[in-house]
């Protein structure tokens, strides 16, 4: 989705974003390059508006009013039988499309709490920088970094 929004803004996919040398001035902090930017934020608004309207139409055709109603409805997915490509012709999607029912709809949403360890990952500790972002104040923090070694 982000790539599509960038293309709508005029990105020509030169893959130089990380070098701060964006030729069209979208992904750069260089003032000289930013002057080249001719995009219009209205284009992105229009793109997402059209996308949302198309999604609503498709959902209506399928009989859904919300995206949450579509979650887990694998019985609506159909696999193509006429695929001759060597990579796909023996691909079995049954394990992905399998849906077990326990009387009522079961397992469509998070039903069992999981600890995936994300709370302990440094990237997710955004609260530390909150005052810096809100008040432009200086924030200092120290973290121990360890690399798990598998034996």
């Amino acid at each position: 989705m982000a790539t599509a929004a960038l293309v709508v803004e005029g990105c020509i996919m030169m893959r130089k974003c990380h070098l701060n040398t964006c030729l069209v001035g979208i992904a750069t902090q260089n003032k000289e390059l930013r002057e080249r930017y001719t995009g219009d934020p209205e284009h992105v608004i229009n793109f997402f508006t059209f996308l949302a309207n198309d999604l609503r139409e498709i959902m209506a055709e399928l009989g859904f009013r919300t995206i949450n109603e579509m979650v887990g409805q694998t019985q609506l997915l159909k696999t193509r039988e006429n695929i001759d490509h060597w990579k796909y012709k023996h691909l079995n999607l049954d394990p992905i499309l399998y849906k077990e029912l326990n009387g009522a709809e079961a397992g469509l949403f998070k039903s069992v709490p999981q600890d995936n360890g994300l709370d302990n990952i440094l990237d997710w500790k955004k609260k530390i920088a909150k005052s810096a972002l809100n008040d432009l104040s200086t924030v200092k923090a120290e973290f121990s970094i360890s690399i798990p070694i598998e034996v």
Side-chain angles (χ1 to χ4, degrees), residues 50-85:
F50 290 133
L51 184 69
N53 288 335
D54 285 349
L55 180 59
R56 284 186 194 105
E57 288 178 17
I58 293 168
M59 288 169 48
E61 287 175 17
L62 294 171
F64 296 111
R65 292 184 307 144
T66 66
I67 292 175
N68 282 345
E69 291 175 9
M70 294 191 306
V71 172
Q73 302 299 331
T74 58
Q75 74 278 6
L76 298 175
L77 299 174
K78 305 290 184 242
T79 56
R80 287 183 16 207
E81 303 295 331
N82 60 347
I83 297 176
D84 291 329
H85 192 277

Side-chain angles (χ1 to χ4, degrees), residues 128-144:
I128 296 163
K130 189 173 186 178
S131 62
L133 296 171
N134 292 341
D135 310 329
L136 301 178
S137 60
T138 302
V139 175
K140 293 184 181 183
E142 288 186 23
F143 303 96
S144 60

